[in-house]
Amino acid sequence: MGLTEIKSRVAVAETAAGRPQGAVTLIAVSKVQPLERVIATLEQGQRIFGENYVQEAAGKWPDLRSRFPGTTVHMIGPLQTNKARLAFDLFDAIHTLDRPSLADKLSRLAQAQGRCPMLFVQVNTGAEPQKAGILPDDADAFIADCRAKDLPVAGLMCIPPEDTDSTPHFVHLAEIAARNGLSQLSMGMSGDFEAAIAHGATHVRVGSAIFGARSYA
């Protein structure tokens, strides 16, 4: 499919939703993609990328960012507390703030350094036991707790359950964000980003539709 077509589809979805062009940030999810595919996408002008693994990102992005100025990298995978310091220095945004211990660690780092990546609270909208994220019923209290720790929470993120209609999950996430005064919504992936844009997504995370299928070999 490729980057050009995905950008075109994002623009069409913005217009269909009555939103201005450029309202949605396209995050190209480059986890476990061959380096040549990532470089080709950078050469096409894409400057916002998403990674799931701290170690993989640490081995890839310092060099690429020096070659392609203005590139930003977002952490979109589960973040272990013991990797928080590395992630804090490596990523411009962390979409997976999902538990009090991680909030505590990020708060200490932010206070020590006087800065913080953009933060999204991950909400487990499907209440799936195997999936990370704050349960919807606990989201308001957790957001308040993060704010009490002076963490600059910008928005919310979700990964709807597979093989279900994503739309109710997008609607639910938007409702939680609205009542907490949060303007940013990280939701929508290769298969459902247009529906996410229709329901207010500000960041969509698209990988295989841009780069092709991943190889985990």
Side-chain angles (χ1 to χ4, degrees):
M1 194 169 291
L3 179 65
T4 302
E5 182 174 337
I6 294 301
K7 286 171 114 170
S8 173
R9 286 172 58 188
V10 167
V12 169
E14 287 172 331
T15 300
R19 300 174 64 188
Q21 294 293 293
V24 178
T25 297
L26 173 62
I27 301 172
V29 181
S30 46
K31 67 170 184 180
V32 301
Q33 290 288 354
L35 190 59
E36 61 269 20
R37 290 184 191 172
V38 179
I39 291 171
T41 305
L42 283 157
E43 287 173 341
Q44 289 180 70
Q46 178 67 19
R47 289 293 179 271
I48 303 163
F49 291 81
E51 292 285 345
N52 281 55
Y53 309 110
V54 175
Q55 296 302 125
E56 180 187 354
K60 180 193 305 178
W61 284 105
D63 175 60
L64 289 175
R65 291 172 94 161
S66 68
R67 292 167 60 188
F68 296 93
T71 298
T72 62
V73 187
H74 294 227
M75 177 64 177
I76 61 170
L79 179 56
Q80 296 169 262
T81 306
N82 65 356
K83 300 270 180 66
R85 181 180 294 276
L86 184 55
F88 195 92
D89 294 333
L90 190 60
F91 295 105
D92 301 279
I94 295 171
H95 291 235
T96 49
L97 174 51
D98 65 351
R99 60 196 185 278
S101 61
L102 183 57
D104 288 341
K105 180 75 172 185
L106 292 175
S107 175
R108 289 194 296 272
L109 289 165
Q111 288 171 24
Q113 298 195 25
R115 60 170 193 86
C116 189
M118 186 179 189
L119 297 176
F120 294 78
V121 169
Q122 182 174 354
V123 181
N124 185 352
T125 53
E128 297 174 272
Q130 80 284 7
K131 192 172 281 182
I134 296 291
L135 292 173
D137 287 348
D138 299 331
D140 294 356
F142 183 69
I143 292 163
D145 186 48
C146 289
R147 286 172 165 161
K149 294 180 170 75
D150 290 329
L151 285 173
V153 176
L156 305 179
M157 181 270 241
C158 75
I159 305 171
E162 288 185 40
D163 304 319
T164 63
D165 179 10
S166 298
T167 298
H169 298 272
F170 298 153
V171 171
H172 195 182
L173 197 74
E175 289 170 348
I176 298 170
R179 71 171 179 253
N180 284 283
L182 295 171
S183 62
Q184 306 297 304
L185 289 168
S186 172
M187 58 189 196
M189 299 189 285
S190 289
D192 58 13
F193 68 85
E194 283 136 327
I197 291 169
H199 290 92
T202 58
H203 295 70
V204 295
R205 311 179 304 271
V206 181
S208 55
I210 291 174
F211 294 103
R214 297 182 185 92
S215 170
Y216 287 93

